[in-house]
Amino acid sequence: MPAKTMPTGPKGNPVLGNTVEFGRDPLRFITKCSQQYGEIVRLKFEKDRESFLLNDPEHIQYVFMNKGGEFSKGYQQDPIMGLVFGNGLLTSEGSFWLRQRRLSQPAFHPGRIADYAGTMVRYSERMVAQWNDGDKRDINDEMMQLTMAIATKTLFDLDLHQGDSRDASRALDTVMTAFNTQMTNVFRHILHLIGLGKLVPPVNRQLKEAVADLDNMIYAIIEERRNHPGDRGDLLSMLISTYDEDDGSTMTDQQLRDEVIALFLAGHETTANTLSWAFYLLSQHPDIEEKLYQEVSRVVGDRPATLADLSKLSYTENVIKETLRIQPTVWLISRYAEQDVTLGGYEIPAGSEVMISQWAMHRNLRYFNDPLTFSPERWDNIDNKPSKYVYFPFGGGPRICIGERFAMMEAMLLLATIVREFRFELVDQLPIKMEPSITLRPKHGINMRLHKR
């Protein structure tokens, strides 16, 4: 079938394209495009590059599977991604990515991941023990500190002191702010569109200093491990000891750094945001919160939650799944066409950006009944389960998130441990503002009143 001309999309400004509308409110813009246009939506953000939003699961599957190598992430050309993540699993391509994935996989073996369950529960119990009935806390900040402590212990076998935790948290906040500015700053997009993007470089001094602080911490830990080798039961031990079966080589310090910084960022940021949105949604649906509490009380009782409990905590899992559906922590994925590709009868030129949005697909009326309603019960209907290219909170295809099992286990164990002890009341009556950076964050936190059960 001959390729069609070009898919339709919002006209936008004759000069600025869709830059202004996207920059003002990316989530609203993406939602409108997915609802008003066809399976492929044509967008314009850059002077010499076409962009296309995909809304069809078959097209999304084709891009994710990438069997012919037609698509790349293109992250290595992004100055912020390159500075922060280097050439690790998140950003690398081709044979190098395949080697890194093979070397990293043993660290995420189910048996290895299971060993971290006790750490997750112990740290969450330690946090809850410091809370009091009636406390007012920013639950997003609390979850960030908790998941950072867990990430540091499971990744490095280290206990961060509070001061160190705050320093690392500030550095990571600077990184996330840089991603948000790059994505939503209208002025920056306009300059890029008219060919003057170099006037405002995306990498500034503050970002460089933040990455340098993280590097100093990570390289110091790697050096200490090199000097005192051995398996401490953490992920870094496995990454250092694993070797390529083809040539016997191991990861260099630079490769270890690139993998570790992505795991450190993803290992706490995504889970913290997922739990923050879960507690927010539960506070708005007391009947669901009560049902969740009853399940945890019945299965876990007064003892610490364990890995063995997870198979019995089906409603707890549903709450996490539904949170990831309606408030997906990763809300947008992009790929770049390495060659001309035909999708849905349309010609996608080489060099084009292809956008896949969890936010848009997870809230799409074509695939979910009453999609804006928070309903964990929808996951009980196994006959109506959405395909993995309609619901894909961890991505899909060969490059699906390597830490998916870790993240789900952590989210369920922490949710069960916390909800057994406290319920949450939203303090601020104003709508919670979302910040669509590289992850979907609550921009000004989520202030909650804690009520001891």
Side-chain angles (χ1 to χ4, degrees), residues 160-193:
L160 275 186
H161 298 294
Q162 188 172 16
D164 295 330
S165 175
R166 294 290 177 182
D167 290 343
S169 182
R170 280 193 291 269
L172 290 170
D173 277 341
T174 300
V175 170
M176 298 305 294
T177 298
F179 281 117
N180 183 61
T181 301
Q182 182 190 51
M183 184 168 291
T184 62
N185 186 288
V186 174
F187 178 66
R188 185 187 300 278
H189 277 288
I190 290 172
L191 288 178
H192 200 83
L193 189 67

Side-chain angles (χ1 to χ4, degrees), residues 85-89 253-263:
F85 297 115
N87 195 32
L89 276 179
D253 286 0
Q254 176 71 52
Q255 289 165 350
L256 286 169
R257 176 266 180 208
D258 292 348
E259 300 304 346
V260 162
I261 200 167
L263 293 173

